[in-house]
Amino acid sequence: MERILGENERAAAANRAAFDAAGVAVVNLMSAPGAGKTTLLVETLRRLAAQRRIGIIEGDIETSIDADRLAGFGASIALLNTGDGFGGECHLDAPMVASVLPRLPLAELDLVIVENVGNLVCPAEFTVGEHRRAMVYAVTEGEEKPLKYPVMFRSTDLVLVNKTDLLPHLDFDLAAFRRNLEMVRPGVEVLEISARTGTGVQAWCDWLDRPV
């Protein structure tokens, strides 16, 4: 494991050097499956694509379903299927990301968002050369997840609490979730959003616009 992570760190450093040379800010976006990353990215592109030159690295084990959803919104998209030559891994790592960089016009971009494979464990352990990390957490997942999957929550710079439009229909205890989150990641920034309705998404876009 130390050898694997060491090799990944070297590849991540090379990726970061390429991003820095191109003047591109990179965000690694993580979540469990179905938390709403792609829906959030669609809404993000609707708001930012006319102002920022955006690239998306779309990570999935199989299919181009999510990449197809993002097409037509003005972003440069590079699909990365981990089942295609990478063993079907449940995360993206730095060598995988390096393999798709030639398909992105880095010199012509301002921002690259890496949509990682949906998983609450492995993506947190592998940096890909990003400058910042954000995770999407759906209220349908239950308030205990920060305690059960602490590595993911400890590794992120921002927690986007998504699907808040469903709160009236759930028993989810938002205050308990925030207490649990504070126990494992004190002081982490939290934004409450609904990617489906657009509520709170502008605050996420403003976060993306901050200097890294």
Side-chain angles (χ1 to χ4, degrees):
M1 180 59 71
E2 290 179 358
R3 179 180 59 80
I4 291 171
L5 292 177
E7 292 174 356
N8 188 77
E9 287 298 321
R10 287 187 287 274
N15 289 347
R16 172 77 73 87
F19 297 142
D20 290 345
V24 179
V26 180
V27 173
N28 187 352
L29 186 63
M30 306 174 292
S31 81
K37 294 192 303 299
T38 307
T39 301
L40 175 62
L41 287 180
V42 168
E43 188 63 27
T44 302
L45 293 178
R46 285 187 175 130
R47 294 167 184 253
L48 290 183
Q51 311 161 29
R52 304 283 300 278
R53 300 172 299 173
I54 301 174
I56 305 287
I57 296 175
E58 178 56 50
D60 263 315
I61 296 176
E62 297 284 356
T63 81
S64 64
I65 293 172
D66 288 347
D68 293 341
R69 286 184 61 193
L70 296 172
F73 290 96
S76 299
I77 301 171
L79 175 63
L80 206 172
N81 284 138
T82 66
D84 185 15
F86 296 106
E89 294 287 355
C90 57
H91 63 274
L92 299 184
D93 62 23
M96 294 180 202
V97 168
S99 75
V100 300
L101 292 187
R103 290 192 265 136
L104 284 177
L106 288 183
E108 301 171 13
L109 300 177
D110 305 308
L111 171 68
V112 170
I113 301 175
V114 179
E115 183 176 357
N116 218 307
V117 178
N119 188 291
L120 274 182
V121 181
C122 301
E125 299 178 340
F126 291 85
T127 181
V128 298
E130 70 272 24
H131 297 98
R132 293 185 292 174
R133 288 181 162 193
M135 71 166 295
V136 180
Y137 178 81
V139 296
T140 50
E141 297 175 60
E143 53 276 316
E144 78 286 354
K145 291 303 185 296
L147 304 179
K148 296 179 70 173
Y149 300 95
V151 174
M152 172 64 75
F153 290 89
R154 287 174 183 148
S155 75
T156 194
D157 302 299
L158 172 70
V159 176
L160 296 151
V161 180
N162 191 27
K163 304 188 181 182
T164 55
D165 54 300
L166 298 179
L167 284 173
H169 311 289
L170 302 172
D171 293 328
F172 182 79
D173 188 333
L174 183 57
F177 167 78
R178 281 183 168 269
R179 288 195 298 271
N180 293 337
L181 178 61
E182 185 68 15
M183 289 175 63
V184 301
R185 183 68 165 88
V188 69
E189 187 170 358
V190 179
L191 296 176
E192 297 176 15
I193 68 168
S194 168
R196 186 179 69 85
T197 67
T199 300
V201 174
Q202 187 56 51
W204 152 248
C205 293
D206 293 342
W207 185 86
L208 291 173
D209 274 335
R210 294 182 195 171
V212 296

